Each structure stands twice: as structure tokens, then as C-alpha cells.
Amino acid sequence: MKQIVVLTGAGMSAESGISTFRDAGGLWEKYPVMQVASHDGWEADPVLVNQFYNERRRELLSVRPNRGHELVAQLERLFKVSVVTQNVDNLHERAGSSHVIHLHGELMKATSSLDPNNPQFIETLNAEHCNIAPGQKAKDGSLLRPFIVFFQEAVPMIETAAEEVSKANILIIIGTSLNVYPAAGLVHYAKPGIPIYLIDPKPVSVRINGVTFIQKGASDGMEELTQLLTAVE
Ligand code: APR
């Protein structure tokens, strides 16, 4: 079975109603990114950072996967699929994708601020408990924080993701401006010569050759790509 890696970014969830970061009106136009999404920001004002992610968690509970998420999940009927996402939402999983690697963490999880990647301190939040209250503690007694990779922090899953990309027979890139590293550098792990498709309504500068651009939104783009891929299978 051919292996596909689907590398996604905020544009994947745009049609579900979740705003992207760098489009006009995007999240980073509304919020000071280094105050709400960086390690220094957390150290300076954990209550503000938790409030920012509490808002995004509440928004996530009110939206649904879009057709693009569903079509990515349906690729598993014909291919071995790994989704490598920069998104912290759970829309790929809710659409049925069974192998999702979150490079930048998961909005519906919280963790210790002393030992954030220790599985025994990671807890799952849900609709009933979706807020982290000021001063709320993790299981190790430290302040409870979002299970999110803040700017200035390492990306623990990058090696796993690079390994997946290096094994792919087909690479699909959807809804990312490829601005943020190390995620953006994953494209360079693709075996030379494999088909690479990039779905985005706007042109995206990607420094590799042989990319087939599908200049559409995630849902329409995946409709077109699914036709292409199933025709050759
Ligand atoms: N369908 C597909 N792509 C879309 C759509 C859509 N409907 N709408 C917008 N896009 C595209 C934009 O054209 C842009 O190329 O999605 C991309 C979004 O880019 P960014 O906002 O930069 O988001 P992303 O690339 O995921 O950012 C990477 O930056 O702030 C950090 O941690 C954050 O994971 C995020 C990382």
C-alpha cells in the first residue's frame, strides 16, 4: 500500500470557521503572538496565556470538521496515511483520520509547566472541563498549562514527522504558509522525485521542485486531488 503524508496548517481548518494566523484578520493581527503563544509570554503572564487558549478551546468545541478533513480521512481507504499537522485542533481526528502527528501540541490537552512532555502529567480536557482556571495546578503541583508548543520551545515530534515524510510515496501539503520552522523544513525530507501536491487558495513559496499546485481551498482542492489519486490507483 502506498504511503501518503499530509502536512497541514491553519488553512485546513479555515472552512470549519477557525481563523488562520497570517491571513488578513488572522489570529496574529488580533493578539500579540509573543505575549499569548511564546515561552516568555507564559512565564510573564500565565493567566493571559491560559485565557487565550481557553477562548480557542471554546471556539473549537463549537465547530466541525470540513469536507477537506473528511476527504483526507477517506484517503485511508486506498493508502497508508499519516497526517502531520501544525494545527492544535482535533478536527482531523474527529473526521476519522487514524494517524495524526501534532507538531505544535493539542488544544484539548493540558499539562505540567515544569515537565510538559511527561505523559503522566498530560491531561485531556473536554466540553465540561474546557477552561484552565487562574492558579489551577497540574498533577505535579506546578501551574497547569496548555499542551501546546509555544514559540521558543522545542518541537518534540519533529523527528517522528521527518521519519514519516522520508518514507512517503506521495506528499500532500494543505493550508500552510510554510513560514514556521522546523515544520516548514519537513518538505526537504521527501524522497527526490515523489509526487508533491500543494493545496492553497494563494500561491505559497516552497523551495523544492516538482510541486503540483492546486490553487483552491482545502475542500475543493481535496475533491480534485482525490479524483487524481483514485484515478491512478
Ligand atoms: N483552504 C486551504 N488553505 C487556506 C484556506 C482554505 N480555505 N484559507 C487560507 N488558507 C491558507 C493561506 O493562504 C495560508 O497559506 O492557509 C495558510 C495559513 O497560513 P498561516 O496562517 O501562516 O498558518 P500556518 O502555516 O499553519 O502557521 C504555522 O504558525 O503561529 C504558528 O503555531 C502556529 O501552527 C502555526 C504555525
Side-chain angles (χ1 to χ4, degrees):
M1 205 178 223
K2 280 189 181 170
Q3 297 192 355
I4 291 187
V5 167
V6 188
L7 173 62
T8 66
M12 184 78 234
S13 300
E15 292 159 32
S16 296
I18 295 183
S19 64
T20 62
F21 293 96
R22 296 173 183 82
D23 284 317
L27 221 49
W28 297 150
E29 268 181 23
K30 296 183 191 127
Y31 293 91
V33 53
M34 293 313 279
Q35 281 180 24
V36 296
S38 77
H39 187 80
D40 289 347
W42 166 261
E43 298 291 328
D45 190 343
V47 173
L48 175 72
V49 172
N50 273 326
Q51 275 170 349
F52 173 69
Y53 285 99
N54 287 344
E55 275 169 46
R56 295 185 62 201
R57 209 169 289 118
R58 270 196 301 281
E59 179 195 44
L60 176 55
L61 291 167
S62 67
V63 302
R64 298 184 56 261
N66 61 58
R67 181 80 181 126
H69 291 109
E70 290 166 357
L71 288 169
V72 166
Q74 285 171 23
L75 287 175
E76 295 186 18
R77 296 175 181 167
L78 284 173
F79 303 94
K80 185 177 176 301
V81 182
S82 288
V83 175
V84 174
T85 187
Q86 300 169 82
N87 299 341
V88 295
D89 65 52
N90 57 1
L91 297 177
H92 279 300
E93 291 91 337
R94 285 164 57 188
S97 285
S98 60
H99 184 217
V100 181
I101 296 170
H102 284 274
L103 291 171
H104 296 161
E106 297 178 63
L107 196 50
M108 296 312 292
K109 291 181 178 170
T111 188
S112 155
S113 48
L114 269 185
D115 193 3
N117 294 301
N118 184 330
Q120 61 180 306
F121 302 137
I122 297 170
E123 47 195 274
T124 300
L125 302 170
N126 54 40
E128 290 69 47
H129 305 97
C130 75
N131 281 339
I132 299 178
Q136 191 171 340
K137 294 286 190 297
K139 291 176 188 142
D140 64 355
S142 68
L143 273 182
L144 189 65
R145 63 166 268 182
F147 183 60
I148 298 282
V149 177
F150 294 140
F151 281 104
Q152 305 167 322
E153 293 184 336
V155 178
M157 297 305 288
I158 196 67
E159 286 81 13
T160 307
E163 173 67 26
E164 287 299 306
V165 173
S166 69
K167 291 187 301 189
N169 303 111
I170 298 169
L171 176 62
I172 302 171
I173 303 165
I174 309 173
T176 175
S177 61
L178 293 174
N179 265 308
V180 172
Y181 287 79
L186 285 170
V187 299
H188 300 293
Y189 286 85
K191 286 194 287 272
I194 65 163
I196 300 177
Y197 301 92
L198 191 147
I199 297 172
D200 197 303
K202 290 193 211 115
V204 176
S205 71
V206 50
R207 283 173 282 284
I208 43 171
N209 303 322
V211 177
T212 303
F213 285 90
I214 300 174
Q215 198 151 343
K216 292 182 176 174
S219 299
D220 292 344
M222 272 305 296
E223 290 286 2
E224 180 176 327
L225 183 51
T226 301
Q227 303 289 327
L228 261 172
L229 293 177
T230 44
V232 297
E233 270 311 298

